[in-house]
PDB file of all heavy atoms in Angstrom:
ATOM      1  N   LEU A   1      -6.461   9.101 -22.329  1.00 73.00           N
ATOM      2  CA  LEU A   1      -6.853   8.222 -21.240  1.00 73.00           C
ATOM      3  C   LEU A   1      -6.062   6.923 -21.285  1.00 73.00           C
ATOM      4  O   LEU A   1      -5.730   6.416 -22.363  1.00 73.00           O
ATOM      5  CB  LEU A   1      -8.347   7.899 -21.322  1.00 73.00           C
ATOM      6  CG  LEU A   1      -9.323   8.987 -20.866  1.00 73.00           C
ATOM      7  CD1 LEU A   1     -10.750   8.542 -21.153  1.00 73.00           C
ATOM      8  CD2 LEU A   1      -9.155   9.288 -19.391  1.00 73.00           C
ATOM      9  N   ARG A   2      -5.759   6.392 -20.115  1.00 72.00           N
ATOM     10  CA  ARG A   2      -5.105   5.091 -20.038  1.00 72.00           C
ATOM     11  C   ARG A   2      -6.112   4.013 -20.423  1.00 72.00           C
ATOM     12  O   ARG A   2      -7.298   4.099 -20.091  1.00 72.00           O
ATOM     13  CB  ARG A   2      -4.596   4.859 -18.608  1.00 72.00           C
ATOM     14  CG  ARG A   2      -3.833   3.550 -18.414  1.00 72.00           C
ATOM     15  CD  ARG A   2      -3.299   3.447 -17.012  1.00 72.00           C
ATOM     16  NE  ARG A   2      -2.365   4.533 -16.726  1.00 72.00           N
ATOM     17  CZ  ARG A   2      -1.892   4.809 -15.519  1.00 72.00           C
ATOM     18  NH1 ARG A   2      -2.273   4.107 -14.487  1.00 72.00           N
ATOM     19  NH2 ARG A   2      -1.042   5.800 -15.345  1.00 72.00           N
ATOM     20  N   ASP A   3      -5.663   3.004 -21.130  1.00 72.00           N
ATOM     21  CA  ASP A   3      -6.544   1.917 -21.560  1.00 72.00           C
ATOM     22  C   ASP A   3      -7.257   1.308 -20.363  1.00 72.00           C
ATOM     23  O   ASP A   3      -6.628   0.966 -19.348  1.00 72.00           O
ATOM     24  CB  ASP A   3      -5.740   0.821 -22.274  1.00 72.00           C
ATOM     25  CG  ASP A   3      -5.268   1.243 -23.661  1.00 72.00           C
ATOM     26  OD1 ASP A   3      -5.822   2.240 -24.178  1.00 72.00           O
ATOM     27  OD2 ASP A   3      -4.367   0.591 -24.215  1.00 72.00           O
ATOM     28  N   GLY A   4      -8.580   1.196 -20.485  1.00 65.00           N
ATOM     29  CA  GLY A   4      -9.362   0.558 -19.438  1.00 65.00           C
ATOM     30  C   GLY A   4      -9.735   1.460 -18.276  1.00 65.00           C
ATOM     31  O   GLY A   4     -10.348   0.999 -17.317  1.00 65.00           O
ATOM     32  N   HIS A   5      -9.375   2.755 -18.352  1.00 67.00           N
ATOM     33  CA  HIS A   5      -9.686   3.673 -17.260  1.00 67.00           C
ATOM     34  C   HIS A   5     -10.664   4.747 -17.736  1.00 67.00           C
ATOM     35  O   HIS A   5     -10.602   5.194 -18.876  1.00 67.00           O
ATOM     36  CB  HIS A   5      -8.414   4.335 -16.736  1.00 67.00           C
ATOM     37  CG  HIS A   5      -7.535   3.414 -15.942  1.00 67.00           C
ATOM     38  ND1 HIS A   5      -7.488   3.430 -14.573  1.00 67.00           N
ATOM     39  CD2 HIS A   5      -6.687   2.434 -16.343  1.00 67.00           C
ATOM     40  CE1 HIS A   5      -6.639   2.504 -14.149  1.00 67.00           C
ATOM     41  NE2 HIS A   5      -6.137   1.890 -15.205  1.00 67.00           N
ATOM     42  N   MET A   6     -11.536   5.182 -16.822  1.00 65.00           N
ATOM     43  CA  MET A   6     -12.519   6.194 -17.171  1.00 65.00           C
ATOM     44  C   MET A   6     -11.974   7.612 -17.032  1.00 65.00           C
ATOM     45  O   MET A   6     -12.449   8.533 -17.680  1.00 65.00           O
ATOM     46  CB  MET A   6     -13.761   6.045 -16.283  1.00 65.00           C
ATOM     47  CG  MET A   6     -14.533   4.764 -16.523  1.00 65.00           C
ATOM     48  SD  MET A   6     -16.004   4.654 -15.471  1.00 65.00           S
ATOM     49  CE  MET A   6     -16.952   6.054 -16.098  1.00 65.00           C
ATOM     50  N   SER A   7     -10.972   7.810 -16.154  1.00 69.00           N
ATOM     51  CA  SER A   7     -10.462   9.162 -15.944  1.00 69.00           C
ATOM     52  C   SER A   7      -8.948   9.243 -15.859  1.00 69.00           C
ATOM     53  O   SER A   7      -8.376  10.297 -16.115  1.00 69.00           O
ATOM     54  CB  SER A   7     -11.079   9.765 -14.674  1.00 69.00           C
ATOM     55  OG  SER A   7     -10.742   8.985 -13.534  1.00 69.00           O
ATOM     56  N   ALA A   8      -8.280   8.157 -15.485  1.00 69.00           N
ATOM     57  CA  ALA A   8      -6.825   8.191 -15.336  1.00 69.00           C
ATOM     58  C   ALA A   8      -6.148   8.413 -16.685  1.00 69.00           C
ATOM     59  O   ALA A   8      -6.516   7.815 -17.692  1.00 69.00           O
ATOM     60  CB  ALA A   8      -6.319   6.898 -14.713  1.00 69.00           C
ATOM     61  N   VAL A   9      -5.143   9.288 -16.685  1.00 71.00           N
ATOM     62  CA  VAL A   9      -4.435   9.665 -17.905  1.00 71.00           C
ATOM     63  C   VAL A   9      -3.220   8.765 -18.106  1.00 71.00           C
ATOM     64  O   VAL A   9      -2.575   8.325 -17.150  1.00 71.00           O
ATOM     65  CB  VAL A   9      -4.010  11.150 -17.829  1.00 71.00           C
ATOM     66  CG1 VAL A   9      -3.084  11.525 -18.973  1.00 71.00           C
ATOM     67  CG2 VAL A   9      -5.251  12.032 -17.837  1.00 71.00           C
ATOM     68  N   ASP A  10      -2.921   8.493 -19.356  1.00 67.00           N
ATOM     69  CA  ASP A  10      -1.727   7.724 -19.698  1.00 67.00           C
ATOM     70  C   ASP A  10      -0.505   8.623 -19.503  1.00 67.00           C
ATOM     71  O   ASP A  10      -0.031   9.277 -20.424  1.00 67.00           O
ATOM     72  CB  ASP A  10      -1.817   7.241 -21.147  1.00 67.00           C
ATOM     73  CG  ASP A  10      -0.719   6.244 -21.479  1.00 67.00           C
ATOM     74  OD1 ASP A  10      -0.064   5.752 -20.549  1.00 67.00           O
ATOM     75  OD2 ASP A  10      -0.518   5.980 -22.681  1.00 67.00           O
ATOM     76  N   SER A  11      -0.027   8.670 -18.260  1.00 70.00           N
ATOM     77  CA  SER A  11       1.091   9.530 -17.890  1.00 70.00           C
ATOM     78  C   SER A  11       2.166   8.685 -17.199  1.00 70.00           C
ATOM     79  O   SER A  11       1.928   7.508 -16.893  1.00 70.00           O
ATOM     80  CB  SER A  11       0.604  10.654 -16.960  1.00 70.00           C
ATOM     81  OG  SER A  11       0.009  10.122 -15.796  1.00 70.00           O
ATOM     82  N   PRO A  12       3.331   9.256 -16.936  1.00 80.00           N
ATOM     83  CA  PRO A  12       4.459   8.448 -16.441  1.00 80.00           C
ATOM     84  C   PRO A  12       4.350   8.074 -14.958  1.00 80.00           C
ATOM     85  O   PRO A  12       5.216   8.406 -14.149  1.00 80.00           O
ATOM     86  CB  PRO A  12       5.662   9.360 -16.699  1.00 80.00           C
ATOM     87  CG  PRO A  12       5.123  10.744 -16.606  1.00 80.00           C
ATOM     88  CD  PRO A  12       3.726  10.656 -17.181  1.00 80.00           C
ATOM     89  N   LYS A  13       3.295   7.371 -14.580  1.00 83.00           N
ATOM     90  CA  LYS A  13       3.092   6.979 -13.183  1.00 83.00           C
ATOM     91  C   LYS A  13       4.264   6.138 -12.665  1.00 83.00           C
ATOM     92  O   LYS A  13       4.772   6.373 -11.560  1.00 83.00           O
ATOM     93  CB  LYS A  13       1.782   6.199 -13.062  1.00 83.00           C
ATOM     94  CG  LYS A  13       1.521   5.611 -11.687  1.00 83.00           C
ATOM     95  CD  LYS A  13       0.233   4.799 -11.687  1.00 83.00           C
ATOM     96  CE  LYS A  13       0.024   4.108 -10.343  1.00 83.00           C
ATOM     97  NZ  LYS A  13      -1.217   3.286 -10.340  1.00 83.00           N
ATOM     98  N   GLU A  14       4.686   5.169 -13.467  1.00 87.00           N
ATOM     99  CA  GLU A  14       5.754   4.267 -13.023  1.00 87.00           C
ATOM    100  C   GLU A  14       7.064   5.019 -12.817  1.00 87.00           C
ATOM    101  O   GLU A  14       7.798   4.772 -11.854  1.00 87.00           O
ATOM    102  CB  GLU A  14       5.942   3.128 -14.031  1.00 87.00           C
ATOM    103  CG  GLU A  14       4.809   2.105 -14.049  1.00 87.00           C
ATOM    104  CD  GLU A  14       3.524   2.652 -14.652  1.00 87.00           C
ATOM    105  OE1 GLU A  14       3.600   3.615 -15.464  1.00 87.00           O
ATOM    106  OE2 GLU A  14       2.446   2.136 -14.315  1.00 87.00           O
ATOM    107  N   GLU A  15       7.370   5.941 -13.729  1.00 90.00           N
ATOM    108  CA  GLU A  15       8.603   6.726 -13.590  1.00 90.00           C
ATOM    109  C   GLU A  15       8.547   7.600 -12.335  1.00 90.00           C
ATOM    110  O   GLU A  15       9.536   7.722 -11.602  1.00 90.00           O
ATOM    111  CB  GLU A  15       8.804   7.615 -14.819  1.00 90.00           C
ATOM    112  CG  GLU A  15      10.050   8.488 -14.737  1.00 90.00           C
ATOM    113  CD  GLU A  15      10.111   9.524 -15.853  1.00 90.00           C
ATOM    114  OE1 GLU A  15       9.396   9.358 -16.858  1.00 90.00           O
ATOM    115  OE2 GLU A  15      10.849  10.510 -15.678  1.00 90.00           O
ATOM    116  N   ILE A  16       7.392   8.205 -12.080  1.00 90.00           N
ATOM    117  CA  ILE A  16       7.231   9.035 -10.882  1.00 90.00           C
ATOM    118  C   ILE A  16       7.458   8.198  -9.630  1.00 90.00           C
ATOM    119  O   ILE A  16       8.169   8.608  -8.703  1.00 90.00           O
ATOM    120  CB  ILE A  16       5.830   9.681 -10.857  1.00 90.00           C
ATOM    121  CG1 ILE A  16       5.691  10.688 -12.002  1.00 90.00           C
ATOM    122  CG2 ILE A  16       5.578  10.374  -9.519  1.00 90.00           C
ATOM    123  CD1 ILE A  16       4.276  11.184 -12.215  1.00 90.00           C
ATOM    124  N   LEU A  17       6.864   7.017  -9.603  1.00 91.00           N
ATOM    125  CA  LEU A  17       7.012   6.152  -8.439  1.00 91.00           C
ATOM    126  C   LEU A  17       8.457   5.670  -8.289  1.00 91.00           C
ATOM    127  O   LEU A  17       8.963   5.552  -7.164  1.00 91.00           O
ATOM    128  CB  LEU A  17       6.065   4.958  -8.548  1.00 91.00           C
ATOM    129  CG  LEU A  17       4.572   5.289  -8.392  1.00 91.00           C
ATOM    130  CD1 LEU A  17       3.719   4.062  -8.681  1.00 91.00           C
ATOM    131  CD2 LEU A  17       4.279   5.812  -6.991  1.00 91.00           C
ATOM    132  N   ASP A  18       9.142   5.391  -9.406  1.00 92.00           N
ATOM    133  CA  ASP A  18      10.543   4.964  -9.343  1.00 92.00           C
ATOM    134  C   ASP A  18      11.424   6.036  -8.708  1.00 92.00           C
ATOM    135  O   ASP A  18      12.321   5.737  -7.921  1.00 92.00           O
ATOM    136  CB  ASP A  18      11.067   4.640 -10.746  1.00 92.00           C
ATOM    137  CG  ASP A  18      10.547   3.315 -11.274  1.00 92.00           C
ATOM    138  OD1 ASP A  18      10.038   2.516 -10.457  1.00 92.00           O
ATOM    139  OD2 ASP A  18      10.635   3.088 -12.498  1.00 92.00           O
ATOM    140  N   VAL A  19      11.159   7.294  -9.060  1.00 94.00           N
ATOM    141  CA  VAL A  19      12.001   8.397  -8.589  1.00 94.00           C
ATOM    142  C   VAL A  19      11.578   8.877  -7.203  1.00 94.00           C
ATOM    143  O   VAL A  19      12.420   9.171  -6.352  1.00 94.00           O
ATOM    144  CB  VAL A  19      11.954   9.576  -9.590  1.00 94.00           C
ATOM    145  CG1 VAL A  19      12.712  10.782  -9.041  1.00 94.00           C
ATOM    146  CG2 VAL A  19      12.521   9.150 -10.936  1.00 94.00           C
ATOM    147  N   MET A  20      10.264   8.933  -6.954  1.00 94.00           N
ATOM    148  CA  MET A  20       9.778   9.594  -5.749  1.00 94.00           C
ATOM    149  C   MET A  20       9.037   8.670  -4.780  1.00 94.00           C
ATOM    150  O   MET A  20       8.847   9.010  -3.611  1.00 94.00           O
ATOM    151  CB  MET A  20       8.847  10.755  -6.142  1.00 94.00           C
ATOM    152  CG  MET A  20       9.481  11.768  -7.071  1.00 94.00           C
ATOM    153  SD  MET A  20       8.344  13.092  -7.589  1.00 94.00           S
ATOM    154  CE  MET A  20       8.144  14.002  -6.057  1.00 94.00           C
ATOM    155  N   GLY A  21       8.623   7.511  -5.257  1.00 90.00           N
ATOM    156  CA  GLY A  21       7.708   6.680  -4.483  1.00 90.00           C
ATOM    157  C   GLY A  21       8.284   6.034  -3.249  1.00 90.00           C
ATOM    158  O   GLY A  21       7.536   5.630  -2.357  1.00 90.00           O
ATOM    159  N   ASP A  22       9.608   5.907  -3.155  1.00 93.00           N
ATOM    160  CA  ASP A  22      10.197   5.244  -1.998  1.00 93.00           C
ATOM    161  C   ASP A  22      10.353   6.163  -0.794  1.00 93.00           C
ATOM    162  O   ASP A  22      10.668   5.701   0.301  1.00 93.00           O
ATOM    163  CB  ASP A  22      11.580   4.664  -2.362  1.00 93.00           C
ATOM    164  CG  ASP A  22      11.471   3.456  -3.279  1.00 93.00           C
ATOM    165  OD1 ASP A  22      10.381   2.822  -3.276  1.00 93.00           O
ATOM    166  OD2 ASP A  22      12.434   3.154  -3.989  1.00 93.00           O
ATOM    167  N   HIS A  23      10.169   7.452  -0.997  1.00 95.00           N
ATOM    168  CA  HIS A  23      10.307   8.385   0.127  1.00 95.00           C
ATOM    169  C   HIS A  23       9.125   8.192   1.079  1.00 95.00           C
ATOM    170  O   HIS A  23       7.968   8.097   0.657  1.00 95.00           O
ATOM    171  CB  HIS A  23      10.333   9.835  -0.372  1.00 95.00           C
ATOM    172  CG  HIS A  23      10.910  10.786   0.608  1.00 95.00           C
ATOM    173  ND1 HIS A  23      10.259  11.165   1.755  1.00 95.00           N
ATOM    174  CD2 HIS A  23      12.094  11.457   0.621  1.00 95.00           C
ATOM    175  CE1 HIS A  23      10.999  12.019   2.439  1.00 95.00           C
ATOM    176  NE2 HIS A  23      12.130  12.216   1.776  1.00 95.00           N
ATOM    177  N   ASP A  24       9.403   8.146   2.395  1.00 93.00           N
ATOM    178  CA  ASP A  24       8.350   7.823   3.352  1.00 93.00           C
ATOM    179  C   ASP A  24       7.360   8.966   3.573  1.00 93.00           C
ATOM    180  O   ASP A  24       6.359   8.789   4.279  1.00 93.00           O
ATOM    181  CB  ASP A  24       8.945   7.383   4.696  1.00 93.00           C
ATOM    182  CG  ASP A  24       9.752   8.470   5.387  1.00 93.00           C
ATOM    183  OD1 ASP A  24       9.935   9.555   4.793  1.00 93.00           O
ATOM    184  OD2 ASP A  24      10.195   8.237   6.533  1.00 93.00           O
TER     185      ASP A  24
END
């Protein structure tokens, strides 16, 4: 689990957003 979260996993969210997040 990510620190301070009840269900969210400590996974590469930022990397995913860097690669894919700018697509509309």
Side-chain angles (χ1 to χ4, degrees):
L1 283 174
R2 183 176 299 170
D3 288 344
H5 287 258
M6 294 181 64
S7 61
V9 171
D10 190 13
S11 59
K13 174 183 175 181
E14 289 71 25
E15 179 189 342
I16 293 169
L17 290 173
D18 285 344
V19 174
M20 304 177 70
D22 289 337
H23 199 288
D24 63 355

